[in-house]
């Protein structure tokens, strides 16, 4: 499953960060790397972007970006 | 030569606050990730031997964002003697991720472990000696707010610069990666200075475009390196770039696990989380958002701001203007000089300055929202809508402010990180009807559509529509094409805003506008006044014989297809470049009525000569879109940082204005023209 599909409140573990170039690098630079735990906090009122907790802080990213992040429950 | 100390760190780590305390200058303090875009410098307080350079807030030294590239270039080519790395203690891992990269540049690093007050309040602990040992860098605990630790920081920094003490310990990567790095190191070690070798090696391994260009490797070496990287990527089944990033974080997790104790378990809620649960709640977020925006708008533009406008008009018109006129006449100054000073410069500058109170109040609330952390949530809530037409969630704020005045609106676009989004926002914000355009609409509505209040309101709709359509269309052009910028944005914790920072921030932005009013606007006002009151032989004449009138006659035919081809209207469009509300004043002057307000009955009756209802609407449309006033053009120039882009914006806006007005007039005449 990818991070975009995870439900609010769910804690997941990152398996792989796909995509390429600036977006992939940015996602990883922000601390979303293989093996780290991520909690999906909420979805924005209009359905996108989402908010997650990673490495102890809050991060928002669009679903399209989250869909490049493979996770497992 | 003074020594250089570079201040580097994540956005929101408190870099600007520390910079202010170290250098004593008043700088901008915000809570929006990535606000510091310019390079700021200052001497250490009372010490001319050390210059501190405030670098942009960044998360990494990747080659992908402007801020990161600026920082990299400065570190490698500016050769600072020391880096003070401001680290947010409440966000250790992500902040240290940058630290490990800074260390690789070979420059000595001193860590300012900031936000210690918050860390303590949360009940967390960091074993600083242990951390310092693991990273190989001295660490000073600080709190920029209570100024704790700052003296120590300065003392240690000066000491390190004097002794030119060595650099920290570099991060260790996994064995296969280290092996590859060693091989690459041997291939490039003659090409780069020894202390930067580690940095270059890693960048080459990551296949960093900018570094590759800079090194300009021979084909043979490039090929060898490619083979090395490829074999690692294959055996590890991951790209080199993500191998490095993964290993770097893994290395840090090892270090922080040993010396960082958190009181709160992952997943439990802090106060900030609880606030956020309400503020960005599925159902409450939008109502709260609109309530906040309406409140800001109401206070700044409607009630308090409007009150001030009356005062300022009185101040410049009745008090300063009238008295200076009397004074000048008393000492026998010639009539034209009195006119130039009073009706030209003072009236011009005054009309622009009337917006200052509104702007200051707006800026105050803006700074408040940024500092407490709400601004990032605004972007979070609005992104979905704005992305649809090529803008980002952060574009909402400029557009909102634009209903008051385009100048602060354009300046507010600075909070948009991505250059493409920022440019587009700057370009489109003036389409939102600003306060100065309202008198023009009021005049024409009063003259032609006295019973249709909706005509004036329709301007807002038309403006918003134009923003949307332009966004969608511009996105298709080459300059704005490409993948959307990543919207991977930190949502900083909420905290009580600090008045000092908020006021500094407000003043910082407002100051620029006042300065502009005092310079550009003063000169432009004087110029237009001269043009409209003297003939080509520089005799004082009535407006219809003036230079401006002859220019008006020259360009009037351009506007004939739009329905308003008289020289009077052409002149009004030109003076509108100065400030939109002067359009009304210009009608008054060219009609020989003197300086009248938009509601004046004679004026209402007389403008009837220039327009019919359709051309009146076409003129409103033209005024809505055409190149904004001089102050807004100045702001555009400032934010675009490029003459080319400024001209592009002006031409685009005027082009849209012309086309839209043309369509309105021609189609309107076709449909309803017979009865007129
Ligand atoms: N409690 C506490 N707040 C701090 C401290 N240092 C900074 N702040 C606050 O943190 C926020 C961000 O500080 P800035 O100085 O703007 O951070 P910055 O790193 O320059 O951020 P950018 O300008 O976005 O790069 C502000 O609201 C500061 O008042 C600190 O030591 N303790």
């Amino acid at each position: 499953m990818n991070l975009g599909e995870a439900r609010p409140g769910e804690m997941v573990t990152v398996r792989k960060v796909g995509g390429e170039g600036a977006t992939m690098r940015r996602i990883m630079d922000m601390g979303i790397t293989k093996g780290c735990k991520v909690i999906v906090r909420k979805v924005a009122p209009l359905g996108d972007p989402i908010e997650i907790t990673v490495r102890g802080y809050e991060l928002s990213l669009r679903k399209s970006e989250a869909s490049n992040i493979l996770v497992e429950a | 030569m003074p020594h250089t100390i570079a201040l580097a760190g994540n956005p929101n780590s408190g870099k600007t606050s520390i910079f202010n305390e170290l250098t004593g200058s008043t700088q901008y303090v915000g809570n929006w990730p990535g606000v510091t875009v310019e390079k700021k410098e200052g001497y250490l307080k009372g010490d001319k031997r050390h210059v501190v350079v405030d670098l942009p807030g960044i998360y990494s030294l990747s080659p992908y964002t402007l801020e990161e590239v600026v920082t990299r270039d400065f570190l490698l080519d500016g050769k600072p003697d020391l880096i003070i790395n401001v680290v947010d203690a409440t966000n250790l891992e992500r902040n240290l991720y940058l630290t490990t990269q800074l260390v690789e540049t070979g420059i000595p690093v001193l860590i300012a472990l900031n936000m210690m007050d918050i860390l303590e309040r949360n009940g967390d602990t960091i074993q600083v000696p242990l951390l310092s040992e693991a990273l190989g860098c001295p660490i000073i605990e600080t709190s920029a707010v209570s100024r704790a630790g700052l003296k120590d920081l300065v003392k240690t920094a000066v000491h390190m610069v004097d002794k030119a003490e060595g650099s920290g310990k570099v991060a260790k990567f996994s064995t296969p990666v280290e092996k590859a790095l060693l091989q690459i190191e041997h291939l490039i070690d003659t090409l780069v200075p020894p202390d930067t070798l580690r940095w270059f090696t890693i960048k080459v391994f990551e296949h960093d475009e900018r570094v590759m260009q800079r090194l300009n490797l021979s084909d043979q070496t490039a090929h060898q390196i490619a083979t090395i990287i490829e074999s690692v990527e294959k055996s590890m089944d991951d790209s080199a770039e993500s191998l490095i990033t993964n290993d770097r974080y893994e290395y840090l997790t090892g270090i922080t696990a040993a010396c960082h104790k958190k009181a709160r378990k992952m997943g439990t809620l802090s106060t900030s989380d609880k606030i956020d649960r309400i503020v960005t709640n599925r159902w409450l977020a939008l109502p709260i958002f609109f309530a906040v925006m309406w409140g800001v708008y109401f206070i700044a533009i409607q009630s308090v701001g409007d009150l001030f406008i009356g005062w300022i008009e009185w101040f410049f018109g009745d008090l300063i203007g009238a008295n200076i006129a009397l004074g000048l006449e008393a000492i026998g100054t010639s009539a034209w000089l009195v006119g130039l000073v009073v009706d030209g410069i003072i009236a011009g500058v005054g009309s622009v300055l009337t917006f200052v109170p509104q702007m200051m109040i707006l800026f105050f609330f803006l700074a408040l929202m940024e500092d407490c952390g709400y601004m990032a949530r605004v972007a979070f809530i609005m992104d979905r809508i704005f992305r649809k037409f090529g803008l980002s969630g952060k574009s909402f704020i400029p557009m909102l402010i634009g209903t008051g005045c385009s100048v602060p609106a354009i300046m507010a676009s600075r909070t948009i990180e991505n250059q493409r989004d920022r440019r587009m926002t700057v370009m489109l914000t003036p389409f939102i009807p600003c306060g100065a355009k309202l008198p023009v609409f009021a005049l024409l509505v009063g003259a032609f559509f006295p019973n249709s209040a909706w005509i004036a309101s329709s301007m807002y709709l038309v403006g918003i529509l134009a923003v949307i359509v332009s966004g969608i269309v511009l996105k298709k052009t080459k300059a704005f094409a490409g993948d959307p910028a990543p919207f991977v944005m930190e949502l900083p914790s909420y905290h009580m805003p600090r008045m000092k920072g908020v006021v500094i921030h407000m003043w910082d932005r407002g100051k620029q506008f006042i300065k502009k009013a005092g310079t550009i606007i003063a000169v432009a006002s004087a110029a237009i006044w001269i043009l409209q009151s003297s003939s080509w032989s520089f005799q004082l004449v009535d407006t219809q014989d003036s230079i401006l009138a002859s220019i008006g006659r020259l360009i009037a035919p351009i506007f004939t297809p739009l329905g308003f081809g008289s020289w009077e209207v052409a002149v009004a469009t030109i003076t509108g470049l100065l400030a939109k509300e002067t359009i009304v004043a210009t009608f008054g002057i060219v009609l020989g009525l003197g300086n009248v307000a938009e509601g004046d009955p004679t004026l209402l009756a007389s403008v009837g000569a220039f327009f019919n209802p359709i051309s009146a609407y076409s003129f409103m449309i033209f005024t809505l879109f055409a190149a904004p006033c001089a102050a807004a053009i100045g702001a555009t120039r400032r934010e675009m940082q490029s003459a080319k882009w400024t001209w592009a914006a002006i031409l685009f806006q005027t082009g849209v204005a012309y086309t839209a007005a043309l369509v309105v007039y021609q189609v309107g005449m076709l449909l309803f023209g017979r009865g007129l």
Side-chain angles (χ1 to χ4, degrees), chain B residues 12-17 30 32 36 114 117 143-145 371 495 498:
Chain B
N12 282 303
S13 57
K15 232 162 34 57
T16 308
S17 308
W32 179 280
T36 322
N114 197 32
D117 53 325
S143 164
V145 180
D371 201 61
H495 65 237
R498 260 167 294 272

Side-chain angles (χ1 to χ4, degrees), chain A residues 25-26 28-31 33-34 37 39 42 45-46 48-49 51 55 57-62 65, chain B residues 60 64 91 93-94 97 241-242 246 249 266-267 276 280 285 380 383-384 387 486-489 491:
Chain A
R25 177 63 183 264
R26 177 64 178 243
M28 296 190 72
D29 278 345
M30 298 306 279
T33 56
K34 206 188 287 182
K37 289 206 171 1
I39 300 177
K42 65 169 88 75
L46 299 169
D48 198 21
E51 178 182 336
R55 297 187 189 269
Y57 77 97
E58 261 64 53
L59 185 74
S60 94
L61 69 173
R62 290 179 182 152
E65 289 148 355
Chain B
S60 170
Y64 297 115
N91 211 325
E93 276 176 66
R94 201 200 62 215
Y97 176 74
E241 214 174 353
S242 67
N246 269 328
Y249 264 113
M266 185 177 180
D276 203 48
T280 59
F380 178 70
D383 180 67
R384 176 73 192 259
R387 191 189 47 202
F487 186 78
V488 183
M489 183 183 69
L491 296 170

Side-chain angles (χ1 to χ4, degrees), chain B residues 254-397:
Chain B
I255 292 180
T256 54
C259 55
H260 187 195
K261 289 272 167 305
K262 278 195 178 161
R264 206 161 45 82
K265 280 224 308 281
M266 185 177 180
T268 55
L269 296 181
S270 67
T271 319
S272 177
D273 295 334
K274 284 177 196 150
I275 298 175
D276 203 48
R277 277 254 285 240
I278 300 171
V279 172
T280 59
N281 174 283
R282 248 214 127 135
W283 309 111
L284 293 178
L286 286 171
I288 291 177
F289 170 72
F290 285 117
V292 169
M293 290 306 149
W294 183 82
V296 170
Y297 180 80
F298 183 76
I299 295 175
I301 308 284
Q302 292 279 315
S303 56
V304 186
D306 211 42
L307 197 72
F308 276 108
I309 285 198
W311 293 354
I312 295 212
E313 273 170 355
W314 169 82
F315 181 77
F316 277 99
D318 300 348
L319 197 68
I320 303 269
N323 285 318
I324 288 191
L326 284 179
L328 288 175
E329 277 158 17
I331 57 169
T333 317
S334 63
W336 78 266
L337 195 60
V338 177
L340 175 66
V341 172
V342 177
D343 298 334
I345 298 175
I346 295 181
V349 171
S351 74
V352 174
L353 287 188
T354 43
F355 294 105
V356 168
Q358 285 189 341
M359 277 174 36
M360 283 296 185
I361 298 170
L362 263 176
F363 283 153
F364 177 80
F365 283 111
L366 221 61
L368 205 66
M369 287 196 288
E370 274 184 24
D371 201 61
C372 73
Y374 187 58
M375 200 65 109
R377 271 75 186 186
V378 169
F380 178 70
I381 295 170
M382 297 308 285
D383 180 67
R384 176 73 192 259
I385 299 178
F386 277 79
R387 191 189 47 202
K388 280 237 154 53
F389 36 93
L391 296 164
S392 97
K394 299 174 187 174
S395 310
F396 181 82
I397 301 294

Side-chain angles (χ1 to χ4, degrees), chain B residues 109 116 198 233 265 373 379 382 492 543 581 645 656:
Chain B
V109 174
M116 285 306 283
R198 178 79 178 174
E233 285 184 332
K265 280 224 308 281
M382 297 308 285
T543 303
E581 65 271 43
W645 274 97
V656 169

